[in-house]
Amino acid sequence: FMKTFRVIKRSHTYRRMFLHTYAQYAAFSLLVLLAAGLILFYQDSRTVRNNTRQTAANLAYYADDLLSACQKLSANVGQSSKLLELSSNAATDLDFSLLDSTTLFSAQHNLVSAKALNLFVATLGVYLYNKQYVVSDYGTLTLESFYQSIFNMSPGVFSEYLRPLGYGSFLFVPQGAVEETRTPQHPLVVLSVIDGNSTRYGNLFIFLDERQMQEDIQALLNNDDMEYYLFDQKGELIISSSAVENNDVSLLSRLKGNDNYQSSTGKYSGWSGFAGYSESWLRHRLHVRLWSLVGICVFLLLLGFPLTYVICSKNYAPIRELAHIVSSPEDSADGRDIEYEVLKS
């Protein structure tokens, strides 16, 4: 402020020099700041796009890895000698007088061990073909009650969940996928269990643990600000970073039509991963960057005052000295702009 006050008290010629120099400085600073801001915004948008594309690819990779782990789990469970014994047992009903309780308990224990080695599993159940019971890690129950707990209906002979599935194929039931029935409490993957001779003798029901899946995905993505969504082949939502209504059928189409989200499809699973940032987050981020540029601009303009003052003082000193040398005392007494007169003459 003192320097500004000194400038005002100076001669008209000095003020013109100061304003001309400051205008050049301000124009140059603003042009450089504008160019740097445009470059930074362009690089930033490219970085965001690449990050979302990589995140979507990581989601698809996670889906492939998850289903590959389910296939391995199915193969490992299929090698259980206790399950093979139960499969060859003639008993078809859940009659403990016909079933070997020791074998049954050992089969349950094998499922508990398999679940413990695969943290993404909430619970496991094995249906042996043509049997009327299901062996799970929490006990053995009738096929009727097991099927009712999932689909709220009685099992039928034509149910695809009770028949052998082709090699590498699986059935998936996302949580809340069927509105008119009580769907499972967890997303459900169904695969065939195969013995050492590649003979399918039962189906494995794998209930996925969404909380563990959330932790795995967050550790894989390592970005708390980014939103992500994982869909199965039919477009049903499997898991997401935020709570979504189960009946929101337009979510997938909205994500496909939004340029802020990138997608990738798993080669093995066929599941689609979407990743991106919400409109509110991008708007807030843009405002922060714009205000940062405004702050830098104001700082540069304020910094220009002392810089211009120093430059003008240095450049104007010879003119002022020359004016005092060549001017007479009468000229100084008249209050005229003697520096301008000297420059003119």
Side-chain angles (χ1 to χ4, degrees), residues 189-241:
V189 179
V190 185
L191 309 97
S192 290
V193 289
I194 305 173
D195 61 12
N197 298 321
S198 299
T199 301
R200 294 168 177 78
Y201 65 93
N203 282 352
L204 175 66
F205 291 77
I206 305 175
F207 295 87
L208 302 177
D209 187 346
E210 307 99 304
R211 182 176 299 180
Q212 183 62 44
M213 291 173 64
Q214 288 273 10
E215 293 179 0
D216 293 341
I217 291 176
Q218 289 175 357
L220 177 65
L221 304 186
N222 194 25
N223 191 330
D224 296 333
D225 296 323
M226 191 178 296
E227 295 183 353
Y228 61 84
Y229 303 86
L230 188 61
F231 297 87
D232 69 352
Q233 290 175 316
K234 297 179 181 179
E236 297 283 357
L237 180 64
I238 301 169
I239 197 168
S240 66
S241 57

Side-chain angles (χ1 to χ4, degrees), residues 65 98 108 132 170 224 238 247 260 263 268 282 286 311:
D65 188 61
L98 299 176
Q108 295 172 2
Q132 295 302 313
F170 62 91
D224 296 333
I238 301 169
N247 56 358
N260 297 332
S263 64
Y268 174 70
L282 291 173
L286 178 62
I311 293 173

